[in-house]
Amino acid sequence: MKTKLITRPGYVLLQNELNKLWREDRPETTRKVSWAASLGDRSENADYQYNKKRLREIDRRVRYLRKILEELKIVDYGPQQEGKVFFGAWVSLENDENETLKFRIVGPEEIYGRNDYSSIDSPISRACLKKEVDDEVVVKTPAGEKIWYVNAIQYEK
């Protein structure tokens, strides 16, 4: 089960996506479907078939976004979080081989298209929670346990 948390910027992005789909993309696609349908034989009309498919995709995404936006809880930065890793933190990790990782712990809905975001539900994010700078983080992976050390913790305020 996914955690129903999201950062404020992530929530705004999802809202903007919903508004664009509903107010711009859907009406435009509907006009294209109507135009293509008016040309006659729909069975061989590629414009009609493509735009009908696109309309179904838009409607599916709009339903999903409306549902998820109602369920999500926005988590804002609080001064009590300072010094420890919590939701919304940028975390810098380093291991004994001098490999480094820097990522932000966010909700599962925010990670798509971002390589520097990690879902709160991921093993590395879970292992980092409540840790402080210089703490050891043990991450259980399919290849075995990996040990990282917290170098820095930052929050967007």
Side-chain angles (χ1 to χ4, degrees):
M1 190 169 119
K2 292 185 192 176
T3 305
K4 303 286 187 197
L5 301 177
I6 194 166
T7 61
R8 188 163 300 278
Y11 189 84
V12 169
L13 278 175
L14 290 180
Q15 265 187 329
N16 290 343
E17 180 187 355
L18 175 62
N19 287 337
K20 183 180 182 309
L21 285 171
W22 187 249
R23 295 200 169 122
E24 295 173 25
D25 295 355
R26 192 175 194 289
E28 182 182 329
T29 306
T30 303
R31 278 192 293 279
K32 288 178 183 176
V33 167
S34 297
W35 169 80
S38 71
L39 297 177
D41 186 12
R42 296 176 187 171
S43 64
E44 295 180 12
N45 187 332
D47 281 332
Y48 178 80
Q49 291 175 354
Y50 170 79
N51 286 301
K52 278 297 275 189
K53 181 180 179 217
R54 176 72 182 126
L55 195 57
R56 286 191 301 271
E57 291 167 357
I58 290 170
D59 287 344
R60 188 176 314 119
R61 183 69 177 161
V62 164
R63 279 191 306 274
Y64 175 77
L65 288 172
R66 283 184 174 162
K67 179 180 178 221
I68 199 74
L69 285 170
E70 287 177 6
E71 296 173 357
L72 290 172
K73 180 178 185 261
I74 299 172
V75 178
D76 289 317
Y77 166 78
Q80 69 275 15
Q81 293 174 301
E82 205 60 50
K84 287 193 175 193
V85 177
F86 290 107
F87 187 84
W90 281 99
V91 182
S92 295
L93 301 177
E94 186 175 349
N95 65 10
D96 292 330
E97 289 84 43
N98 288 329
E99 296 173 319
T100 60
L101 281 177
K102 183 174 181 177
F103 57 90
R104 185 174 189 199
I105 299 175
V106 296
E109 300 301 325
E110 298 178 78
I111 61 172
Y112 302 104
R114 296 288 305 251
N115 291 335
D116 57 344
Y117 278 12
S118 176
S119 169
I120 184 93
D121 297 329
S122 72
I124 197 161
S125 294
R126 288 281 179 198
C128 288
L129 290 177
K130 298 183 182 174
K131 300 289 186 198
E132 297 178 17
V133 174
D134 295 329
D135 280 358
E136 185 177 279
V137 177
V138 179
V139 183
K140 293 180 180 156
T141 67
E145 289 186 346
K146 303 257 184 194
I147 297 175
W148 296 85
Y149 302 96
V150 179
N151 279 346
I153 303 165
Q154 298 169 331
Y155 287 93
E156 290 180 8
K157 298 167 181 144

